[in-house]
Each structure stands twice: as C-alpha cells, then as structure tokens.
Amino acid sequence: MRVEESIAIGELSRRTGVNIETIRYFERVGVLATPPRTSGGRRVYGTGHVRALGFVRRARELGFSPAEVRAILSLGGSAQASCSEVREIAAHHLERVRAKMEDLAQLESLLAATIDRCEGDGAASCAVIDLLDQPSSG
Amino acid sequence: MRVEESIAIGELSRRTGVNIETIRYFERVGVLATPPRTSGGRRVYGTGHVRALGFVRRARELGFSPAEVRAILSLGGSAQASCSEVREIAAHHLERVRAKMEDLAQLESLLAATIDRCEGDGAASCAVIDLLDQPSSG
DNA sequence: CTTGCTCCTGTAGTCACTACAGGATGCATA
DNA sequence: TATGCATCCTGTAGTGACTACAGGAGCAAG
C-alpha cells in the first residue's frame, strides 16, 4: 500500500484556505482530528485531513454553526455520516435561514420606506431618527 | 424649572429592557453618556438617558452595528442628529440588508434543492454530504 | 554550522456583551 | 439609632470563534 502524502500545517493551510492558527484551534476544540507528529513534534497531515478541513470550511461558508459542524462530524466524518441525521441538521438550518429571510424582508421594507419618507425633507423632523426613537413597533 | 426625575440604574434597566451590566458597558465604550453620581457614587440618570438608551436599543434591534450606533450618536444624539448623515448610514445599512437577503436566498434554494434530492434515498451517497464535500461552488 | 523558514506552545487580544465576587450605599422599618 | 435587605459599586474573568504575538525549537539547504 502507498504511504500517504505528508502535509505540514502550512501546506494544509494553503490548500484549504484556512488560517494556520485556526487549524490548531479546530484541533483544540475537536473539529479536526489530531494528526500524528514528527519526532520533533510537528503535525503531519494527510489527504484525509485536507478533505475533512475542506468539509468544515464549506459547512461554515454555508452558514452552519460550529456546533452543527461538530454535530455532523460526530456522526462519523464526511464520508460515513448518517444521511438522515445530516439531512435533519441541514433542514433545521434551512428553517433558520428562512426565518432570517423573513426578518430581513420586514426590516428591508421598514428601512426603505423610512428612508424614502425622509428624502427631500430638509425640515423639522427626520423619519429615520423618528424610527429609531420609537419604543418597539418594528 | 422642574428638577429632573432621578433614575437609578436598575430602574433604567427595567424601563429600557437593557441589562444593568450592559448599561455600564455602554457607558464605558462611549455609547451612553456618563451620568452624574450621588455622593455615595451611584449613577443618577434622567429621562434623557432613558430616551438615549432606548434609541441605542432600537438601533441595535434594527441591525445597526455598534459602530453605526456610535456614528449616529456622534452626530449629536437622537434629537439633534443631522438628518442627512443619519439617512446615509441607514441607506448603507439597507444595502447590507439587501445583500444579505440575496445571499440567503441563494443559500435557501441550494439547501432546499439539496435536501429535497436527498429525501427518499436510503442509498449510496447523500446529496447533503456531497454538497458539503464540494470545494466551493455555492 | 549557519541561515532562514516553518513550526511549536502558551498567552493574550478581539467584539459585544454577560457574570460573578466582594464590598459599599441607601432606604425603610423596628 | 440600629439593623436588615435590596440595590449598587468596581474589577476581573468568562463567552465564542477566532486571530495575533512572543519566545523558542525543528529542519533543509548551502
């Protein structure tokens, strides 16, 4: 069998776009498996780590929380993860995305209308400031 | 002239819904004016502080960053703030809200489609996991 | 064997708060 | 006046998800 490629932390960082300090942080908090070390104490990664770290990065990019990432990884890593459980996490995440979209849509129309109302007025009261001054009707 | 109402920090907290510790924090970082003190060293607020803190809270609720809140406040407080400058900050904020909405919409359809594709399959590969495994096409 | 890059650990900084310890104040009641 | 209790004070440290730095060690090439 082939001996796996030896990848130093800097190289792993370059390949995945993840900060070196962040890689060590991920290891500390259990998001990335602890790699073996050289006799001198340096971390030695393999292509599996490249994939796993890419997986983590991608999940974070897609807005999964670190807790969710940990949950997915605890299901056995990207390859063996139980489909239905991962799907459930993703579905939950999707719900939150949709809720956030609604919030933002409301906020968008409120802000847009208010800014619009303000426009042109050089006068007395400012609609935007009034908006902020209201107790809580947003 | 009327002597202004004397409000203790706990009462201010109750009236505005802002945590006592957070009120002191706001004072430290310059988001809320430093109030006078009693001879014993206790903070004494007035109705102006109630309004100002409500203003800050409202702005945060609407998603303005602490930096933006500081910027608005530095324009002279809620009452005297220059309308056009506040409007500009709000407009900028609105742009960010819209950008975020677009991001979320993309993510929403990607997630929804992926989850949908996964459904029913008890088999081989999981669409959701595959999504996370891809390098960066989201 | 020295140069220079990469890597190591441990600690501390970031932001926007939140929480706690240990002690002082202030007000009402006995 | 004394006591009791709620509220308040400062200072420090914790949160989460990183990021940054200091001071030292590993390692490959010249």
Side-chain angles (χ1 to χ4, degrees), chain B residues 41-74:
Chain B
R42 298 187 166 203
R43 289 169 180 82
V44 180
Y45 297 97
T47 51
H49 289 99
V50 177
R51 182 155 182 266
L53 188 52
F55 186 89
V56 170
R57 202 190 93 136
R58 178 93 175 125
R60 297 288 292 115
E61 267 173 25
L62 293 174
F64 287 87
S65 71
E68 285 170 327
V69 174
R70 265 192 290 274
I72 294 173
L73 290 172
S74 76

mmCIF file of all heavy atoms in Angstrom, chain B residues 41-74:
data_model
loop_
_atom_site.group_PDB
_atom_site.id
_atom_site.type_symbol
_atom_site.label_atom_id
_atom_site.label_comp_id
_atom_site.label_asym_id
_atom_site.label_seq_id
_atom_site.Cartn_x
_atom_site.Cartn_y
_atom_site.Cartn_z
ATOM 1 N N GLY B 41 -21.603 57.693 45.143
ATOM 2 C CA GLY B 41 -21.026 57.103 43.941
ATOM 3 C C GLY B 41 -22.001 56.392 43.027
ATOM 4 O O GLY B 41 -21.591 55.772 42.038
ATOM 5 N N ARG B 42 -23.281 56.477 43.307
ATOM 6 C CA ARG B 42 -24.248 55.790 42.446
ATOM 7 C C ARG B 42 -24.651 56.651 41.262
ATOM 8 O O ARG B 42 -24.800 57.863 41.389
ATOM 9 C CB ARG B 42 -25.482 55.421 43.261
ATOM 10 C CG ARG B 42 -25.134 54.467 44.370
ATOM 11 C CD ARG B 42 -26.361 53.984 45.047
ATOM 12 N NE ARG B 42 -26.016 52.844 45.878
ATOM 13 C CZ ARG B 42 -26.865 51.923 46.268
ATOM 14 N NH1 ARG B 42 -28.122 52.000 45.909
ATOM 15 N NH2 ARG B 42 -26.468 50.922 47.005
ATOM 16 N N ARG B 43 -24.839 55.983 40.147
ATOM 17 C CA ARG B 43 -25.218 56.686 38.929
ATOM 18 C C ARG B 43 -26.650 57.212 39.023
ATOM 19 O O ARG B 43 -27.546 56.485 39.452
ATOM 20 C CB ARG B 43 -25.116 55.756 37.727
ATOM 21 C CG ARG B 43 -23.694 55.399 37.336
ATOM 22 C CD ARG B 43 -23.687 54.272 36.319
ATOM 23 N NE ARG B 43 -22.332 53.912 35.919
ATOM 24 C CZ ARG B 43 -21.541 53.106 36.627
ATOM 25 N NH1 ARG B 43 -21.961 52.588 37.747
ATOM 26 N NH2 ARG B 43 -20.325 52.844 36.192
ATOM 27 N N VAL B 44 -26.832 58.448 38.601
ATOM 28 C CA VAL B 44 -28.171 59.049 38.601
ATOM 29 C C VAL B 44 -28.544 59.439 37.176
ATOM 30 O O VAL B 44 -27.920 60.324 36.583
ATOM 31 C CB VAL B 44 -28.213 60.298 39.500
ATOM 32 C CG1 VAL B 44 -29.612 60.907 39.478
ATOM 33 C CG2 VAL B 44 -27.798 59.950 40.921
ATOM 34 N N TYR B 45 -29.547 58.752 36.658
ATOM 35 C CA TYR B 45 -29.974 59.026 35.296
ATOM 36 C C TYR B 45 -31.199 59.914 35.272
ATOM 37 O O TYR B 45 -31.890 60.080 36.288
ATOM 38 C CB TYR B 45 -30.294 57.710 34.585
ATOM 39 C CG TYR B 45 -29.093 56.799 34.446
ATOM 40 C CD1 TYR B 45 -28.866 55.777 35.361
ATOM 41 C CD2 TYR B 45 -28.181 56.980 33.419
ATOM 42 C CE1 TYR B 45 -27.762 54.941 35.246
ATOM 43 C CE2 TYR B 45 -27.070 56.160 33.299
ATOM 44 C CZ TYR B 45 -26.868 55.140 34.212
ATOM 45 O OH TYR B 45 -25.780 54.330 34.097
ATOM 46 N N GLY B 46 -31.470 60.485 34.104
ATOM 47 C CA GLY B 46 -32.669 61.292 33.903
ATOM 48 C C GLY B 46 -33.450 60.743 32.729
ATOM 49 O O GLY B 46 -33.045 59.758 32.102
ATOM 50 N N THR B 47 -34.547 61.400 32.404
ATOM 51 C CA THR B 47 -35.378 60.905 31.305
ATOM 52 C C THR B 47 -34.630 60.953 29.969
ATOM 53 O O THR B 47 -34.897 60.174 29.073
ATOM 54 C CB THR B 47 -36.682 61.709 31.212
ATOM 55 O OG1 THR B 47 -36.359 63.095 31.191
ATOM 56 C CG2 THR B 47 -37.581 61.410 32.385
ATOM 57 N N GLY B 48 -33.691 61.871 29.868
ATOM 58 C CA GLY B 48 -32.874 61.932 28.658
ATOM 59 C C GLY B 48 -32.095 60.645 28.434
ATOM 60 O O GLY B 48 -31.983 60.154 27.302
ATOM 61 N N HIS B 49 -31.609 60.078 29.524
ATOM 62 C CA HIS B 49 -30.873 58.821 29.402
ATOM 63 C C HIS B 49 -31.800 57.683 28.986
ATOM 64 O O HIS B 49 -31.404 56.791 28.242
ATOM 65 C CB HIS B 49 -30.196 58.473 30.734
ATOM 66 C CG HIS B 49 -29.053 59.354 31.091
ATOM 67 N ND1 HIS B 49 -29.171 60.411 31.962
ATOM 68 C CD2 HIS B 49 -27.757 59.353 30.667
ATOM 69 C CE1 HIS B 49 -27.991 61.010 32.082
ATOM 70 N NE2 HIS B 49 -27.124 60.399 31.302
ATOM 71 N N VAL B 50 -33.016 57.732 29.520
ATOM 72 C CA VAL B 50 -33.981 56.699 29.153
ATOM 73 C C VAL B 50 -34.197 56.728 27.637
ATOM 74 O O VAL B 50 -34.159 55.694 26.958
ATOM 75 C CB VAL B 50 -35.336 56.921 29.869
ATOM 76 C CG1 VAL B 50 -36.358 55.886 29.419
ATOM 77 C CG2 VAL B 50 -35.156 56.853 31.372
ATOM 78 N N ARG B 51 -34.383 57.920 27.126
ATOM 79 C CA ARG B 51 -34.616 58.074 25.696
ATOM 80 C C ARG B 51 -33.394 57.630 24.886
ATOM 81 O O ARG B 51 -33.499 56.884 23.914
ATOM 82 C CB ARG B 51 -34.946 59.539 25.400
ATOM 83 C CG ARG B 51 -35.263 59.816 23.963
ATOM 84 C CD ARG B 51 -36.139 61.063 23.808
ATOM 85 N NE ARG B 51 -36.475 61.277 22.412
ATOM 86 C CZ ARG B 51 -35.774 62.071 21.598
ATOM 87 N NH1 ARG B 51 -34.724 62.718 22.037
ATOM 88 N NH2 ARG B 51 -36.143 62.214 20.330
ATOM 89 N N ALA B 52 -32.219 58.077 25.314
ATOM 90 C CA ALA B 52 -30.992 57.755 24.585
ATOM 91 C C ALA B 52 -30.748 56.247 24.557
ATOM 92 O O ALA B 52 -30.404 55.675 23.515
ATOM 93 C CB ALA B 52 -29.805 58.465 25.233
ATOM 94 N N LEU B 53 -30.959 55.628 25.688
ATOM 95 C CA LEU B 53 -30.709 54.188 25.759
ATOM 96 C C LEU B 53 -31.736 53.421 24.920
ATOM 97 O O LEU B 53 -31.404 52.447 24.251
ATOM 98 C CB LEU B 53 -30.748 53.730 27.219
ATOM 99 C CG LEU B 53 -30.333 52.293 27.489
ATOM 100 C CD1 LEU B 53 -28.978 51.978 26.877
ATOM 101 C CD2 LEU B 53 -30.300 52.024 28.987
ATOM 102 N N GLY B 54 -32.962 53.911 24.949
ATOM 103 C CA GLY B 54 -33.995 53.314 24.103
ATOM 104 C C GLY B 54 -33.612 53.426 22.628
ATOM 105 O O GLY B 54 -33.765 52.483 21.847
ATOM 106 N N PHE B 55 -33.059 54.565 22.302
ATOM 107 C CA PHE B 55 -32.594 54.828 20.941
ATOM 108 C C PHE B 55 -31.520 53.814 20.535
ATOM 109 O O PHE B 55 -31.582 53.198 19.463
ATOM 110 C CB PHE B 55 -32.029 56.246 20.910
ATOM 111 C CG PHE B 55 -31.618 56.748 19.564
ATOM 112 C CD1 PHE B 55 -32.533 57.395 18.745
ATOM 113 C CD2 PHE B 55 -30.315 56.593 19.115
ATOM 114 C CE1 PHE B 55 -32.155 57.878 17.505
ATOM 115 C CE2 PHE B 55 -29.933 57.062 17.873
ATOM 116 C CZ PHE B 55 -30.853 57.702 17.065
ATOM 117 N N VAL B 56 -30.569 53.630 21.403
ATOM 118 C CA VAL B 56 -29.490 52.677 21.137
ATOM 119 C C VAL B 56 -30.059 51.268 20.960
ATOM 120 O O VAL B 56 -29.729 50.556 20.011
ATOM 121 C CB VAL B 56 -28.463 52.668 22.303
ATOM 122 C CG1 VAL B 56 -27.485 51.513 22.154
ATOM 123 C CG2 VAL B 56 -27.727 53.989 22.362
ATOM 124 N N ARG B 57 -30.932 50.919 21.869
ATOM 125 C CA ARG B 57 -31.521 49.586 21.817
ATOM 126 C C ARG B 57 -32.266 49.357 20.520
ATOM 127 O O ARG B 57 -32.149 48.327 19.859
ATOM 128 C CB ARG B 57 -32.471 49.405 23.004
ATOM 129 C CG ARG B 57 -32.728 47.965 23.358
ATOM 130 C CD ARG B 57 -33.832 47.856 24.360
ATOM 131 N NE ARG B 57 -35.096 47.665 23.662
ATOM 132 C CZ ARG B 57 -36.019 46.782 24.038
ATOM 133 N NH1 ARG B 57 -35.833 46.052 25.114
ATOM 134 N NH2 ARG B 57 -37.118 46.653 23.370
ATOM 135 N N ARG B 58 -33.042 50.352 20.165
ATOM 136 C CA ARG B 58 -33.840 50.252 18.949
ATOM 137 C C ARG B 58 -32.933 50.098 17.720
ATOM 138 O O ARG B 58 -33.171 49.273 16.839
ATOM 139 C CB ARG B 58 -34.692 51.510 18.831
ATOM 140 C CG ARG B 58 -35.531 51.587 17.605
ATOM 141 C CD ARG B 58 -36.912 51.048 17.854
ATOM 142 N NE ARG B 58 -37.766 51.241 16.697
ATOM 143 C CZ ARG B 58 -38.420 50.256 16.104
ATOM 144 N NH1 ARG B 58 -38.316 49.036 16.557
ATOM 145 N NH2 ARG B 58 -39.171 50.496 15.052
ATOM 146 N N ALA B 59 -31.897 50.892 17.680
ATOM 147 C CA ALA B 59 -30.977 50.831 16.545
ATOM 148 C C ALA B 59 -30.333 49.445 16.452
ATOM 149 O O ALA B 59 -30.204 48.867 15.374
ATOM 150 C CB ALA B 59 -29.914 51.910 16.670
ATOM 151 N N ARG B 60 -29.971 48.894 17.593
ATOM 152 C CA ARG B 60 -29.364 47.555 17.597
ATOM 153 C C ARG B 60 -30.377 46.516 17.134
ATOM 154 O O ARG B 60 -30.044 45.616 16.373
ATOM 155 C CB ARG B 60 -28.836 47.212 18.991
ATOM 156 C CG ARG B 60 -27.721 48.115 19.479
ATOM 157 C CD ARG B 60 -26.386 47.915 18.780
ATOM 158 N NE ARG B 60 -25.792 46.622 19.086
ATOM 159 C CZ ARG B 60 -25.589 45.662 18.199
ATOM 160 N NH1 ARG B 60 -25.940 45.829 16.935
ATOM 161 N NH2 ARG B 60 -25.024 44.547 18.553
ATOM 162 N N GLU B 61 -31.602 46.661 17.597
ATOM 163 C CA GLU B 61 -32.674 45.761 17.181
ATOM 164 C C GLU B 61 -32.840 45.778 15.663
ATOM 165 O O GLU B 61 -33.109 44.754 15.045
ATOM 166 C CB GLU B 61 -34.009 46.211 17.788
ATOM 167 C CG GLU B 61 -34.394 45.577 19.098
ATOM 168 C CD GLU B 61 -35.656 46.230 19.670
ATOM 169 O OE1 GLU B 61 -36.462 46.796 18.893
ATOM 170 O OE2 GLU B 61 -35.817 46.185 20.892
ATOM 171 N N LEU B 62 -32.691 46.963 15.092
ATOM 172 C CA LEU B 62 -32.861 47.099 13.643
ATOM 173 C C LEU B 62 -31.603 46.669 12.900
ATOM 174 O O LEU B 62 -31.512 46.814 11.690
ATOM 175 C CB LEU B 62 -33.232 48.545 13.292
ATOM 176 C CG LEU B 62 -34.613 48.988 13.784
ATOM 177 C CD1 LEU B 62 -34.831 50.481 13.506
ATOM 178 C CD2 LEU B 62 -35.718 48.178 13.105
ATOM 179 N N GLY B 63 -30.656 46.171 13.620
ATOM 180 C CA GLY B 63 -29.487 45.588 12.978
ATOM 181 C C GLY B 63 -28.337 46.538 12.728
ATOM 182 O O GLY B 63 -27.355 46.165 12.097
ATOM 183 N N PHE B 64 -28.449 47.783 13.218
ATOM 184 C CA PHE B 64 -27.312 48.683 13.084
ATOM 185 C C PHE B 64 -26.186 48.149 13.959
ATOM 186 O O PHE B 64 -26.421 47.701 15.084
ATOM 187 C CB PHE B 64 -27.695 50.102 13.523
ATOM 188 C CG PHE B 64 -28.591 50.818 12.550
ATOM 189 C CD1 PHE B 64 -29.968 50.669 12.613
ATOM 190 C CD2 PHE B 64 -28.056 51.621 11.552
ATOM 191 C CE1 PHE B 64 -30.803 51.308 11.701
ATOM 192 C CE2 PHE B 64 -28.883 52.261 10.642
ATOM 193 C CZ PHE B 64 -30.258 52.111 10.719
ATOM 194 N N SER B 65 -24.982 48.192 13.427
ATOM 195 C CA SER B 65 -23.843 47.712 14.198
ATOM 196 C C SER B 65 -23.537 48.715 15.306
ATOM 197 O O SER B 65 -23.895 49.891 15.195
ATOM 198 C CB SER B 65 -22.624 47.565 13.294
ATOM 199 O OG SER B 65 -22.146 48.843 12.927
ATOM 200 N N PRO B 66 -22.861 48.258 16.357
ATOM 201 C CA PRO B 66 -22.452 49.187 17.405
ATOM 202 C C PRO B 66 -21.659 50.364 16.835
ATOM 203 O O PRO B 66 -21.803 51.497 17.301
ATOM 204 C CB PRO B 66 -21.586 48.320 18.309
ATOM 205 C CG PRO B 66 -22.143 46.963 18.137
ATOM 206 C CD PRO B 66 -22.530 46.870 16.709
ATOM 207 N N ALA B 67 -20.866 50.101 15.819
ATOM 208 C CA ALA B 67 -20.094 51.188 15.205
ATOM 209 C C ALA B 67 -21.025 52.214 14.567
ATOM 210 O O ALA B 67 -20.815 53.423 14.674
ATOM 211 C CB ALA B 67 -19.132 50.618 14.163
ATOM 212 N N GLU B 68 -22.065 51.726 13.922
ATOM 213 C CA GLU B 68 -23.027 52.640 13.302
ATOM 214 C C GLU B 68 -23.782 53.433 14.364
ATOM 215 O O GLU B 68 -24.044 54.625 14.195
ATOM 216 C CB GLU B 68 -24.009 51.856 12.422
ATOM 217 C CG GLU B 68 -23.388 51.388 11.113
ATOM 218 C CD GLU B 68 -24.271 50.413 10.345
ATOM 219 O OE1 GLU B 68 -25.009 49.625 10.982
ATOM 220 O OE2 GLU B 68 -24.226 50.428 9.121
ATOM 221 N N VAL B 69 -24.130 52.732 15.441
ATOM 222 C CA VAL B 69 -24.821 53.426 16.531
ATOM 223 C C VAL B 69 -23.949 54.554 17.062
ATOM 224 O O VAL B 69 -24.399 55.680 17.236
ATOM 225 C CB VAL B 69 -25.177 52.446 17.662
ATOM 226 C CG1 VAL B 69 -25.757 53.189 18.861
ATOM 227 C CG2 VAL B 69 -26.167 51.406 17.175
ATOM 228 N N ARG B 70 -22.685 54.231 17.276
ATOM 229 C CA ARG B 70 -21.762 55.267 17.747
ATOM 230 C C ARG B 70 -21.697 56.414 16.748
ATOM 231 O O ARG B 70 -21.668 57.582 17.132
ATOM 232 C CB ARG B 70 -20.366 54.678 17.954
ATOM 233 C CG ARG B 70 -20.099 54.237 19.395
ATOM 234 C CD ARG B 70 -18.628 53.947 19.627
ATOM 235 N NE ARG B 70 -18.198 52.731 18.936
ATOM 236 C CZ ARG B 70 -18.305 51.511 19.453
ATOM 237 N NH1 ARG B 70 -18.810 51.351 20.657
ATOM 238 N NH2 ARG B 70 -17.904 50.461 18.777
ATOM 239 N N ALA B 71 -21.671 56.068 15.466
ATOM 240 C CA ALA B 71 -21.588 57.102 14.425
ATOM 241 C C ALA B 71 -22.814 58.009 14.474
ATOM 242 O O ALA B 71 -22.698 59.237 14.429
ATOM 243 C CB ALA B 71 -21.456 56.445 13.051
ATOM 244 N N ILE B 72 -23.990 57.397 14.601
ATOM 245 C CA ILE B 72 -25.216 58.188 14.668
ATOM 246 C C ILE B 72 -25.205 59.075 15.908
ATOM 247 O O ILE B 72 -25.507 60.266 15.839
ATOM 248 C CB ILE B 72 -26.458 57.266 14.697
ATOM 249 C CG1 ILE B 72 -26.595 56.513 13.366
ATOM 250 C CG2 ILE B 72 -27.718 58.079 14.970
ATOM 251 C CD1 ILE B 72 -27.701 55.459 13.359
ATOM 252 N N LEU B 73 -24.794 58.478 17.025
ATOM 253 C CA LEU B 73 -24.803 59.240 18.273
ATOM 254 C C LEU B 73 -23.797 60.382 18.234
ATOM 255 O O LEU B 73 -24.032 61.442 18.799
ATOM 256 C CB LEU B 73 -24.496 58.308 19.453
ATOM 257 C CG LEU B 73 -25.601 57.309 19.777
ATOM 258 C CD1 LEU B 73 -25.128 56.307 20.814
ATOM 259 C CD2 LEU B 73 -26.862 58.009 20.246
ATOM 260 N N SER B 74 -22.691 60.149 17.554
ATOM 261 C CA SER B 74 -21.662 61.179 17.500
ATOM 262 C C SER B 74 -22.126 62.387 16.688
ATOM 263 O O SER B 74 -21.536 63.451 16.729
ATOM 264 C CB SER B 74 -20.370 60.622 16.908
ATOM 265 O OG SER B 74 -20.497 60.501 15.513
#
